[in-house]
């Protein structure tokens, strides 16, 4: 006898049926050998049937973990993506450096709202990999999209895991709408705290709008050493507000705070004081 070794490797999925002819010297008819089978891709699945972020706060990252299991006897190289996601840089409220809202300014590219770590890799046979998907919502809407799995050398969009989420801006209450600094010596700083209350389960970010200056100096100037910050969920936030009176009379002005991402009018803090000069006795 003579052993013949046949090696098969195909980049295409599906059934195959190949026929070989073996010719023998002195034999008029060749011997036919048929090779039949099916080429299949690696079998895999996530440990969740749907990725649910629930309600998330606008501009704040929210991370969900899932596991990708390779149940086949061969290694698989994967790539993960969200097809309808943007390509621009996302705006993270926790790392915000500027006071402007991304929704109030024109952007050339739609921000990328989903970050996948790792977005690609190789899983060995009968193994698994932990995947972290972070959503930083840069739009107020309901998300109905999917996490797509591409398998290198096999095909694209082999699996689509549904993703659902809803982004909102939590309601923030101003506990100190009026702040009376009472009698203040002219051009001397006095400090009180503006108090914000957040009764929701989501964080928010406040921004102190800079005081407008025109040709005439303001009767009361104000500033805060913490002009921006995070209002944590289910908590109160105390923001120091320092003022200086510049006239010797009853004075008032308004300080404006806006909540990041909100198109509602800014929250107004009415500042009152009575400016006076030095008290001198002869």
């Amino acid at each position: 006898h003579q052993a013949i070794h046949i090696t098969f490797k195909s980049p295409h999925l599906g059934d195959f049926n190949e026929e070989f002819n073996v010719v023998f010297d002195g034999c008029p008819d060749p011997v036919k050998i048929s090779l039949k089978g099916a080429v299949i891709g690696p079998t895999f699945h996530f440990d969740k049937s749907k990725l649910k972020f629930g309600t998330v706060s606008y501009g704040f990252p929210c991370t969900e973990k899932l596991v990708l299991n390779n149940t086949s006897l061969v290694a698989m190289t994967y790539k993960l993506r969200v097809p309808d996601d943007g390509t621009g840089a996302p705006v993270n409220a926790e790392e915000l450096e500027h006071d402007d809202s991304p929704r109030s300014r024109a952007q050339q590219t739609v921000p990328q709202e989903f970050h996948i770590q790792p977005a690609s890799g190789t899983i060995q046979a009968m193994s698994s990999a932990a995947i972290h998907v972070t959503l930083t919502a840069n739009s107020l809407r309901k998300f109905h999209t999917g996490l797509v799995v591409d398998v290198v050398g096999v095909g694209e969009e082999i699996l689509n895991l549904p993703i659902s989420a809803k982004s909102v801006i939590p309601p923030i209450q101003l506990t100190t709408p009026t702040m009376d600094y009472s009698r203040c010596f002219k051009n001397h700083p006095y400090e009180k705290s503006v108090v914000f209350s957040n009764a929701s389960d989501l964080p928010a970010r406040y921004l102190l709008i800079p005081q407008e200056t025109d040709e005439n100096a303001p009767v009361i100037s104000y500033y805060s050493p913490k002009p921006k910050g995070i209002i944590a969920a289910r908590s109160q936030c105390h923001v120091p507000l320092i003022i200086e009176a510049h006239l010797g009379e009853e004075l008032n002005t308004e300080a404006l705070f806006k909540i990041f991402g909100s198109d509602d009018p800014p929250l107004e803090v009415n500042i009152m004081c009575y400016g006076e000069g030095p008290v001198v006795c002869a």
Side-chain angles (χ1 to χ4, degrees):
H1 71 275
Q2 173 64 52
I4 299 176
H5 296 275
I6 300 177
T7 301
F8 175 78
K9 182 179 181 180
S10 174
H12 305 289
L13 297 178
D15 297 333
F16 65 91
N17 185 356
E18 298 291 339
E19 190 175 79
F20 291 84
N21 292 325
V22 181
V23 179
F24 295 91
D25 289 342
C27 181
D29 297 323
V31 176
K32 295 182 179 181
I33 302 176
S34 295
L35 301 180
K36 297 180 180 181
V39 180
I40 62 172
T43 55
F44 59 92
H45 66 272
F46 287 107
D47 64 335
K48 298 179 180 179
S49 59
K50 189 174 185 179
L51 196 58
K52 298 180 180 180
F53 285 91
T55 303
V56 299
S57 186
Y58 176 88
F60 286 83
C62 180
T63 302
E64 289 289 332
K65 178 185 176 181
L66 65 159
V67 177
L68 181 58
N69 299 294
N70 179 12
T71 57
S72 59
L73 299 177
V74 295
M76 59 171 284
T77 300
Y78 68 90
K79 292 182 179 180
L80 303 177
R81 57 189 174 90
V82 179
D84 56 353
D85 197 12
T87 57
V91 178
N92 187 336
E94 295 179 339
E95 303 173 352
L96 187 65
E97 295 295 334
H98 304 288
D99 292 348
D100 56 341
S101 169
R103 295 198 297 129
S104 62
R105 55 187 167 87
Q107 290 188 343
Q108 295 181 353
T109 56
V110 178
Q112 181 182 4
E113 297 177 292
F114 290 93
H115 178 70
I116 307 168
Q117 182 64 33
S120 61
T122 299
I123 306 177
Q124 298 301 320
M126 305 301 293
S127 300
S128 60
I131 310 295
H132 293 83
V133 181
T134 301
L135 168 61
T136 305
N138 281 184
S139 56
L140 293 175
R141 63 187 177 99
K142 290 183 178 180
F143 292 82
H144 296 287
T145 181
L147 178 64
V148 168
V149 183
D150 300 332
V151 180
V152 177
V154 177
E156 296 184 350
E157 298 190 20
I158 303 299
L159 179 65
N160 191 329
L161 182 70
I163 298 177
S164 65
K166 179 183 179 181
S167 59
V168 300
I169 298 175
I172 302 299
Q173 301 296 326
L174 180 59
T175 309
T176 54
T178 301
M179 299 180 63
D180 188 358
Y181 286 78
S182 188
R183 305 183 74 87
C184 302
F185 285 112
K186 291 170 56 179
N187 303 322
H188 285 265
Y190 293 84
E191 179 179 326
K192 283 183 177 291
S193 292
V194 179
V195 181
F196 295 103
S197 179
N198 182 4
S200 71
D201 295 323
L202 301 172
R205 184 180 180 90
Y206 72 86
L207 304 166
L208 172 61
I209 299 177
Q211 186 176 17
E212 294 183 359
T213 57
D214 49 19
E215 297 178 357
N216 299 322
V219 295
I220 301 176
S221 60
Y222 61 84
Y223 69 94
S224 175
K226 296 181 180 179
K228 62 188 73 174
I230 305 298
I231 308 173
R234 299 288 178 181
S235 67
Q236 286 189 335
C237 179
H238 295 258
V239 182
L241 190 64
I242 301 173
I243 74 162
E244 290 185 14
H246 300 300
L247 293 178
E249 58 187 53
E250 187 175 351
L251 308 172
N252 65 79
T253 188
E254 290 181 345
L256 301 178
F257 290 85
K258 69 177 180 179
I259 303 302
F260 173 68
S262 176
D263 290 332
D264 295 336
L267 301 175
E268 297 182 359
V269 178
N270 186 25
I271 301 173
M272 303 169 56
C273 73
Y274 193 95
E276 62 178 13
V279 179
V280 178
C281 294

